[in-house]
Amino acid sequence: MKFSKAISRTPGTNFADGLTTSELGTPDYALTLKQHQAYLAGLKQCGLEVTLLEADLNHPDSTFVEDVAVLTPNSAILTNPGADSRKGEVAAMQPVLEKFYSKFHRITAPGTLDGGDICEAGSHFFIGISERTNEEGGRQLAAFLAEEGYTSSFVSILGVSGILHLKSGIAYIGENTLVLIRSLADRPEFKGYKIVLVDETEAYAANCVRINDYVIMPTGYPKLQAELTRLGFKPLPLDMSEYQKMDGGLSCLSLRF
Ligand code: CIR
């Protein structure tokens, strides 16, 4: 939960050509950019030094940088994204990560894995098995994490409606606390954690991120914001409306390390 740096990528003018299942309409590019700038300001407020990458017009979803790597303090694990249109995003991220990491692992076919499916909870990682991350990809990641001294377990979200990735429905915010949507709340995997249950009307807000003293979360979810405050966390709301239209959450707009 202690981070000093982040990597983010400016959304391209063809952002609206990316993958989406949501029926919230087409994102407005000017507003998308404005929200991205506010997001970067939020990361800086949390104390992060941000490396901002140029838009990559070959990959309309490439602003969702979280999906192409899983980072631990000692190593960077490059993923093999589950969507064909996103596989090329990894090569563009590798040289950026080489400035910060010397040890690399790589998820390879037939394994697929999106960073959005990976939830770090202290020394344990939950690995979501989804339409994007398959068991082979999960097993490869689990082996790399074990080498780095971390435990991990699988959480299947196949058949859970309304979430693209595991982290669309769960966040670990420190203090042994998980933020969870209702449909994941009863899973035995999460026994032993303190649970902050997200109201069904606020499910999108489950994708929040603890960064140093703050929990960044999307704007417009007053119940979760009030509950986090009541529990002693410091929520920092950021407007994500245009990213939500492309199935994106706030965690996916950066890699933090
Ligand atoms: C996609 O479908 O891949 C993008 N439109 C959204 C990815 C969101 N990433 C994330 O939640 N980690």
Side-chain angles (χ1 to χ4, degrees), residues 18-20 61 64 66-67 86 116 132 164-165 168 246-249 251-252:
L19 303 168
T20 188
D61 277 316
F64 299 116
E66 181 183 62
D67 292 322
R86 302 200 57 193
R132 300 286 178 88
L164 172 66
H165 289 121
S168 316
M246 300 308 293
D247 285 346
S251 72
C252 29

Side-chain angles (χ1 to χ4, degrees), residues 77-178:
I77 299 151
L78 298 166
T79 70
N80 179 26
D84 285 344
S85 64
R86 302 200 57 193
K87 291 191 191 291
E89 294 175 27
V90 180
M93 184 58 75
Q94 185 171 351
V96 181
L97 288 170
E98 279 169 355
K99 295 188 187 128
F100 303 101
Y101 284 90
S102 53
K103 186 171 181 191
F104 282 82
H105 301 282
R106 186 183 285 276
I107 306 294
T108 51
T112 62
L113 189 133
D114 279 15
D117 277 316
I118 312 308
C119 176
E120 180 182 356
S123 60
H124 187 77
F125 282 71
F126 293 110
I127 300 175
I129 303 300
S130 70
E131 297 290 340
R132 300 286 178 88
T133 297
N134 63 18
E135 291 197 7
E136 170 59 23
R139 275 192 292 272
Q140 291 179 21
L141 177 66
F144 298 140
L145 290 173
E147 214 179 288
E148 303 293 332
Y150 297 95
T151 56
S152 62
S153 55
F154 286 5
V155 180
S156 175
I157 59 159
L158 293 168
V160 178
S161 66
I163 56 173
L164 172 66
H165 289 121
L166 177 64
K167 270 192 296 193
S168 316
I170 169 179
Y172 180 72
I173 56 170
E175 330 307 331
N176 198 41
T177 303
L178 287 170

Side-chain angles (χ1 to χ4, degrees), residues 39 64 66-67 115-119 162-173 179-181 196 198 202-210 215-219 221 224 228 236 238 240 243-244 247-254 256:
Y39 179 84
F64 299 116
E66 181 183 62
D67 292 322
D117 277 316
I118 312 308
C119 176
I163 56 173
L164 172 66
H165 289 121
L166 177 64
K167 270 192 296 193
S168 316
I170 169 179
Y172 180 72
I173 56 170
V179 176
L180 282 173
I181 55 169
V196 177
V198 180
E202 295 198 351
Y204 179 69
N207 181 258
C208 53
V209 186
R210 173 76 183 266
V215 176
I216 59 169
M217 64 172 290
T219 302
Y221 300 92
L224 181 63
L228 291 176
L236 174 57
L238 298 168
M240 286 290 126
Y243 298 93
Q244 188 176 11
D247 285 346
L250 139 166
S251 72
C252 29
L253 289 183
S254 60
R256 302 153 298 274

